[in-house]
């Protein structure tokens, strides 16, 4: 399967472990990725849509130009922000025409509304197939207890699942396909607090502590997330969250491609698992014993 | 139709612990949950407290948590929520103080917050002699926001409020949006500035829970995002007490404009300033040692960056 | 004891408008409401509010439609006042922020409502009442008017026959408090909960009417009870008649548009009394669709219907499980509004010193024997404003005997609250009351039915005095409130039945199958009711005719 690939900003910035892991995993699975190199940040829910809608229209038009029908993302926020923009552009021809006319025409671009924005998580479940994934698994992660954490933008608003409510269970399905055990918990679809890190750090840290604490309390060895922004908070802010709560948590957070990579047989080093704030050593140990 | 109602009971007066009481009911096929509650109070247990008014889904008074979902009891048909054990659970909404049984403190959940956003039209002067002449499509967003009947379900499902009851919440912000989007209001900039203060629009995590919970399709989260976009367009990117939010926006925009992508190192520095960075040094050191610290300003300009910059210029041009 | 210069009892549109008017006149005004103002019945009103805004319309044309619509029982001077003040009231609402729909020129768009000769109703999608209610509440907050929310007024305090305050029950604590005032404005809504099924909110139990009546005020035209033809199957959600004036049809079991039989020219757009009666007769004669008739919008542009009536489409699906634009929607007449109430003059004065009334609980005489859609919200606003303004003008009064009356009321309430549990329950009696009224004092009436009703009501009155309570708690004691409401409902129901018995003609909503014609010679007058120990004493007052001599009423 061939997709346009939108890596986002953080996968090579604050979470530099994500990009190489994603590339390795995609190659191993046989997903052909054509990286979009001359497009821009989708705004991440921070930038006003007045400026991010045209940026995203351009990204989608560029992908269309390549003759491709899918843009793959590795970040829940990219999926949601670009996905919402895409839904609006697809369903409102007047708006699409005005975007094209005002912002894309001078570059000779025109978005026609044919692109599908899909996270690697959705592609694995819908296009690649979990059976195929299971066949590719060389090192079943038996005994590894993993809690799923989706990230808001890949679950809400309802339009984003495009009529497929099962998208809200894909992460658990992948965890199981890799042979690991799902540790379900109430906070899996909730907000990690990242968007208010600047505006209200106290609330942000409280959210981190609540969700990681809950998963840890239910016996998870680690958490997996398809969103590097969630990762930045759940992992990067975990020490501060612990300090604020006055409780130790110590729950390693993995990126989705890292978990998949482990199942495919890559080593923790190859997946840059030393680059986390909360040590992943315990996970690495568990995995080594499985080989 | 047989149904067992499991109803939350709690009476501050007699003390005692809250709990669920069961009532076996026999009701017509098209009976609603509210019909069931009335049957209990009128025929079985007169001490049950619950609120009701219009009985047809228009006033929001009977908002309750029915089988773990926030709904209006008067338009929830029992047949549609009955579990396979023929049970219906009825309790107050979450995150509120319960006053008695199903009667809860709406003042704190909702009314007080609504009152805090200057919820009346501040007319742009001078007022015309007759009606304001306004294109109808300019009033559609106002009417959409005014569909709200204050059921409070958006606040009840909010990600932030369980952690921080002082967050003004989606219901009040939707009310604020009603005025910001009204062309007849003359206080737009002042409102956006006030809404930008702590506990306002920038404290929202835009998780879209409010959109999921609103039974009227008002999409409160989208309304909050609309408010933020309106604020940015008016050059107002924070309140006065949270300037770091404006710095964050400006820095984010500046790096995307310059290089096409986000420069996180620059973002942290420009948002917080050097002084605050000292507080973050321990984590920054840890990040640096793990090769996770993006070096600010040494951010490669990606291909297509000048195109992205053009987009920013065009948008800016619209506001000058 | 809280003291305010003006007390408004009732937080709906009329009550809030009165409060704002009193405040504007500089009065220290407070509002007591049984439910939060935004939960009041006013918010369910959908269709629109009339005003001669258009250049080729006039207050006179509006007034005529109203007079004819009321089957010539309306007091024409009051109607002219209403029609003349209308456009000013609409502009004021717009300035306060009501987002009325606009036409292509950006001016107030006008909708055609039933019984009108032309389009003259301003509207906000299909939530006009809701929008106005919200904006009035916003203005109430802006004016910083204190509100006592979830207080049930149980008694008027009188001093030498004048009203000097109220006693009210605070739901949150269960305690009774006396409020003293120079003037009290009742705005508690009508009495439609005396019927079952009903289109009225739970709290619309005629308490204001009953309180005024017991304080010596006169009630007027109580026999006039309007049924709305579009009561949706299920909860009886009343769909806006604008669906009919927009072009919707009403069909019977054979698919025939039966309204044309009764109103050959206007058809479904005839005034509500005619259409409701038509539907009732079709259903009773077995020509209905089971016990309903069908609202048929299938021939209209579905997208346009959904745009104009977005909430209606959604609610019809949720409550009746049918599609507004592609199915025939089952509807039947449901008790909607009581046209009668406390008799007031154009300034809201009831005749009892210090006591005013506005909105659903008041009878201003504008609706005659049937109210047109769009005139109800208008009446509440115009006469609510006038009542509030007059109340503010009332001078300072000494209130004597308040403490004594508070103590009496405490004893009375305690007696009701402490009644031992018995087989009789207020809720069951209320349902029986409602069914009796629907059957015998409904759309089609006759002497024997009305006599039956009077007897049953007496019986129910006796039963209600034996009805026991089981709730001994004080806080949020809705069971107690239910008992108090039942008392009021029985009182007003008795008057309605008596007035219906007295009027031996058919006019507007009052249809006597044993007196099927309108009889201007004998009955061109309002029915007045006073309270005496033995029951209601009835008399009459001539209708005020200024411009329009009563004619045959054809639509």
């Amino acid at each position: 399967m061939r997709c346009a690939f939108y890596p986002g900003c953080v996968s090579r910035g604050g979470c530099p472990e994500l990009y190489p892991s994603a590339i390795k995993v995609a190659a191993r699975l046989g997903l052909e990725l054509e990286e979009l190199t001359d497009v821009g940040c989708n705004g991440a829910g921070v930038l006003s849509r007045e400026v991010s809608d045209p940026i995203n229209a351009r990204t989608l038009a560029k992908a269309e130009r390549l003759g491709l029908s899918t843009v793959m993302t590795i970040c829940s926020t990219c999926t949601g922000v670009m996905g919402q923009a895409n839904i609006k552009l697809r369903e409102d021809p007047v708006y699409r025409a005005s975007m094209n006319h005002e912002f894309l025409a001078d570059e000779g671009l025109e978005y026609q509304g044919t692109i599908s924005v899909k996270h690697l998580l959705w592609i694995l479940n819908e296009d690649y197939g979990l059976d195929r994934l299971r066949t590719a698994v060389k090192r079943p992660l038996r005994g590894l207890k993993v809690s799923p954490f989706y990230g808001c933008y890949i679950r809400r608003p309802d339009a984003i699942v495009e009529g497929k409510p099962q998208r809200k269970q894909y992460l658990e399905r992948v965890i199981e396909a890799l042979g690991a055990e799902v540790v379900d918990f109430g906070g899996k679809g909730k907000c990690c607090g990242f968007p208010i890190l600047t505006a209200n750090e106290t609330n942000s840290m409280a959210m981190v502590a609540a969700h990681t604490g809950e998963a840890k309390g239910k016996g998870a060895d680690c958490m997996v997330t398809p969103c590097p922004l969630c990762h930045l908070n759940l992992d990067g802010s975990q020490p501060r969250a612990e300090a604020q709560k006055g409780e130790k948590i110590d729950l390693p957070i993995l990126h989705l491609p890292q978990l998949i990579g482990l199942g495919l047989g890559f080593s923790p080093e190859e997946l840059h698992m030393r680059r986390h704030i909360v040590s992943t050593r315990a996970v690495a140990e568990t995995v080594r014993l499985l080989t | 139709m047989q149904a067992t109602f499991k109803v939350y009971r709690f009476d501050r007066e007699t003390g005692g612990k809250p709990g669920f009481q069961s009532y076996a009911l026999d009701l017509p096929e098209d009976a609603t949950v509210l019909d069931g509650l009335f049957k209990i109070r009128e025929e079985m247990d007169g001490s049950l407290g619950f609120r009701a008014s219009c009985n047809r889904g228009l006033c929001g008074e009977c908002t309750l948590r029915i089988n773990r979902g926030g709904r209006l009891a008067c338009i929830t048909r029992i047949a549609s929520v009955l579990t396979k054990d023929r049970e219906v659970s009825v309790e107050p909404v979450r995150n509120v103080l319960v006053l008695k049984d199903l009667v809860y403190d709406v003042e704190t959940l909702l009314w007080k917050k609504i009152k805090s956003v200057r919820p009346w039209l501040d007319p742009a002067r001078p007022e015309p002699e007759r009606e304001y002449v306004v294109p109808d499509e300019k009033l559609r967003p106002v009417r959409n926001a005014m569909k709200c009947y204050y059921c409070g379900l958006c606040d009840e499902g909010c990600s932030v409020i369980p952690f921080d009851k002082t967050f003004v919440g989606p219901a009040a912000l939707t009310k604020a949006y009603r005025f910001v989007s009204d062309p007849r209001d003359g206080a737009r900039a002042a409102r956006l500035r006030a809404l930008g203060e702590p506990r306002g629009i920038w404290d929202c995590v835009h998780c879209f829970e409010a959109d999921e919970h609103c039974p009227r399709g008002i999409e409160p989260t989208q309304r909050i995002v609309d408010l933020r976009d309106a604020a940015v367009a008016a050059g107002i990117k924070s309140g006065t007490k949270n300037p770091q939010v404006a710095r964050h926006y400006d820095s984010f925009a500046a790096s995307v404009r310059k290089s096409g992508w986000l420069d996180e190192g620059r973002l942290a520095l420009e948002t917080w300033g050097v002084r605050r960075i000292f507080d973050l040094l321990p984590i920054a050191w840890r990040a640096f040692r793990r090769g996770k610290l993006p070096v600010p300003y040494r951010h490669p300009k990606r291909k297509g960056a000048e195109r992205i910059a053009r987009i920013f210029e065009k948008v800016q041009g619209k506001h000058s | 004891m809280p003291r305010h210069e003006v007390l408004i009892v009732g937080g709906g549109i009329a009550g809030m408008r009165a409060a704002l008017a009193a405040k504007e006149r500089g009065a220290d005004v407070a509002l007591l409401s049984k439910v939060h103002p935004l939960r009041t019945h006013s918010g369910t009103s959908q269709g629109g509010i009339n005003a001669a805004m258009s250049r080729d319309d006039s207050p006179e044309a509006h007034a005529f439609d109203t007079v004819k619509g009321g089957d010539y029982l309306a007091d024409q001077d009051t109607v002219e006042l209403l029609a003349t003040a209308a456009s000013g009231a609409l502009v004021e609402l717009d300035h306060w922020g009501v987002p009325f729909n606009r036409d292509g020129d950006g001016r107030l768009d006008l909708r055609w409502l039933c019984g009108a000769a032309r389009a003259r109703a301003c509207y906000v999608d299909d939530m006009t009442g809701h929008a106005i209610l919200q904006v009035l509440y916003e203005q109430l907050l802006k004016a910083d008017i204190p509100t006592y929310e979830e207080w049930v007024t149980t008694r008027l305090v009188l001093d030498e026959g004048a009203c000097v305050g109220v006693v009210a029950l605070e739901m949150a604590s269960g305690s009774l408090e006396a409020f003293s005032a120079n003037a009290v404005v009742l705005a508690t809504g009508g009495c439609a909960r005396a019927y079952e099924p009903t289109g009225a909110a739970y709290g619309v139990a005629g308490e204001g009417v009953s309180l005024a009546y017991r304080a010596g005020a006169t009630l007027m035209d109580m026999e006039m009870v309007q049924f709305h033809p579009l009561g949706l199957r299920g909860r009886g959600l009343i769909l806006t008649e604008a669906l009919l004036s927009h072009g919707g049809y009403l069909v019977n079991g054979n698919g025939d548009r039966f309204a044309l039989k009764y109103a050959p020219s206007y058809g479904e757009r005839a005034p509500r009394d005619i259409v409701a009666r038509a539907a009732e007769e079709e259903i009773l004669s077995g020509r209905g669709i089971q016990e309903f008739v069908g609202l048929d919008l299938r021939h209209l542009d579905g997208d346009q219907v959904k745009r104009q009536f977005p909430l209606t489409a959604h609610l019809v699906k949720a409550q009746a499980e049918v599609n507004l634009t592609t199915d025939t929607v089952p509807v039947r007449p449901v008790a909607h509004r009581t046209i009668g109430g406390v008799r007031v003059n154009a300034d809201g004065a009831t005749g009892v010193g210090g006591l005013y009334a506005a909105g659903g609980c008041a009878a201003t005489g504008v609706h005659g024997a049937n109210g047109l859609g769009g005139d109800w919200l208008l009446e509440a606003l115009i006469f609510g404003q006038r009542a509030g303004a007059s109340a503010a003008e009332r001078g300072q009064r000494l209130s004597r005997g308040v403490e004594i009356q508070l103590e009496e009321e405490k004893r009375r309430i305690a007696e009701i609250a402490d009644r031992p549990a018995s087989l009789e329950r207020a809720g069951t009696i209320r349902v029986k009351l409602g069914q009796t009224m629907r059957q015998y004092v409904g759309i089609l009436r006759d002497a024997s039915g009305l006599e039956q009703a009077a007897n049953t009501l007496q019986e129910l009155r006796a039963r209600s005095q034996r009805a026991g309570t089981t709730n001994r708690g004080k806080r949020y004691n809705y069971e107690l409130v239910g008992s108090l409401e039942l008392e009021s409902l029985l009182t007003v129901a008795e008057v309605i039945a008596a007035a219906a018995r007295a009027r031996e003609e058919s006019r507007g909503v009052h249809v006597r199958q044993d007196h099927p014609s309108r009889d201007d010679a004998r009955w061109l007058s309002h029915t007045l009711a006073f309270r005496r120990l033995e029951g209601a004493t009835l008399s009459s007052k001539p209708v005020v005719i200024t411009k329009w001599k009563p004619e045959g009423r054809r639509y």
Side-chain angles (χ1 to χ4, degrees), chain B residues 55-73:
Chain B
N55 196 26
R56 63 212 48 204
L58 295 176
C59 77
E61 178 85 312
C62 62
T63 307
L64 289 167
R65 205 154 150 72
I66 294 166
N67 282 2
R68 316 255 115 182
R71 299 162 191 263
L72 297 184

Side-chain angles (χ1 to χ4, degrees), chain A residues 68-82:
Chain A
L68 297 165
S69 61
T70 306
V71 168
M72 183 180 103
T73 55
I74 48 175
C75 168
S76 297
T77 306
C78 292
T79 313
V81 173
M82 291 204 303

Side-chain angles (χ1 to χ4, degrees), chain A residues 175-210:
Chain A
I175 294 171
E176 281 170 348
L178 297 170
E181 190 187 312
V182 173
V183 175
D184 202 1
F185 71 113
K188 70 180 171 195
K190 300 209 166 140
C191 182
C192 67
F194 182 79
I196 50 170
L197 194 48
T198 306
N200 194 319
E201 189 178 320
T202 309
N203 290 352
S204 186
M205 293 305 105
M207 291 177 181
V208 170

Side-chain angles (χ1 to χ4, degrees), chain C residues 98-118:
Chain C
V98 177
F100 287 112
N101 288 50
R102 258 59 181 178
D103 63 19
D105 297 324
R107 296 203 162 274
L108 292 174
D109 195 22
L110 300 170
R111 180 181 257 172
W112 212 311
L113 291 179
C114 295
R118 53 155 308 130

Side-chain angles (χ1 to χ4, degrees), chain C residues 233-518:
Chain C
R233 179 183 70 195
R235 299 288 87 236
L237 169 82
I238 289 178
L239 306 179
T240 174
E241 69 174 25
L243 291 165
L244 296 176
S245 55
H246 189 77
Y249 297 154
L250 274 179
V251 297
N252 62 14
N254 301 324
D256 298 324
R257 287 178 60 197
F258 57 87
L260 288 166
K261 268 192 301 202
Y262 301 78
S265 172
Y266 276 59
E268 291 89 345
R269 277 133 140 254
R272 260 176 226 164
D273 60 315
I274 293 172
V275 181
R277 179 187 175 171
E280 181 85 338
E281 289 190 340
E282 289 301 293
I283 294 168
L284 288 177
S285 56
R287 289 192 296 273
I289 304 169
Q290 287 152 13
E291 69 270 33
F292 300 97
V293 290
L295 172 65
D296 191 352
L297 301 170
R298 290 173 302 175
H299 56 287
L300 298 172
D301 177 344
D303 288 328
Q304 206 190 35
V305 169
K306 281 192 249 190
R307 254 201 319 274
Q308 286 259 289
F309 306 100
L311 289 177
T312 306
H314 173 73
L315 285 168
V316 164
K317 187 86 178 104
Q319 295 195 31
E321 297 180 320
V322 292
N323 195 302
L324 181 65
T325 53
T326 60
D327 292 324
T328 310
V329 183
V331 293
R332 65 182 157 178
V334 166
H336 184 44
R337 293 187 194 271
T338 45
I339 295 163
V342 186
R343 179 182 165 209
V344 292
N345 66 11
D347 291 323
T350 62
V352 171
L355 187 66
Y356 303 79
C361 69
T364 56
V366 291
H367 300 305
N370 169 62
L372 291 184
D375 275 348
W376 298 92
L377 288 174
L378 186 62
E379 182 201 23
L381 283 167
I382 305 284
F383 294 102
Q385 187 274 327
R386 294 177 73 97
S390 328
E393 299 295 313
R394 184 158 166 90
Q396 179 78 10
R397 273 208 155 30
L398 278 177
S399 342
R400 291 163 306 196
V402 183
E403 296 294 349
I404 296 172
Q405 290 175 61
L406 172 61
E407 290 311 308
E408 274 174 19
E409 188 65 357
K410 281 183 180 172
R411 281 196 294 275
R412 182 181 84 94
I413 300 293
E415 188 275 322
I416 297 171
D418 293 338
R419 276 192 205 146
S422 79
L423 283 172
E424 293 283 20
R425 304 293 281 266
T428 334
I429 297 169
R430 194 206 71 80
V431 173
K432 192 80 182 95
L433 163 65
Q435 289 166 343
T436 305
M437 294 298 283
R438 180 63 177 92
Q439 184 166 13
Y440 298 115
V441 200
I443 296 176
L444 305 171
R445 303 159 171 184
D446 64 40
S448 69
L450 291 167
E451 186 139 335
Q452 170 78 30
N455 293 335
T456 309
L457 289 176
Q458 234 180 357
E459 203 185 289
L460 292 176
R461 169 74 75 181
R463 283 173 62 185
S464 78
Q465 266 139 18
R466 296 192 301 266
T469 53
T470 59
N471 185 17
R472 301 293 166 237
K474 293 183 72 92
R475 303 173 70 250
Y476 295 103
N477 187 348
Y478 291 100
E479 191 191 43
L480 171 62
V481 175
S483 302
L484 298 174
E485 286 176 344
L486 178 61
E487 261 182 29
S488 298
L489 287 173
L490 283 166
T491 303
V492 300
E494 280 158 6
V495 181
I496 293 173
R501 182 83 178 79
R503 183 177 289 271
E504 289 177 337
E505 63 150 3
S506 289
R507 184 185 297 263
V509 296
H510 176 71
V511 179
R512 285 285 297 261
Q513 291 179 300
D514 49 347
H515 295 278
S517 320
R518 196 178 88 195

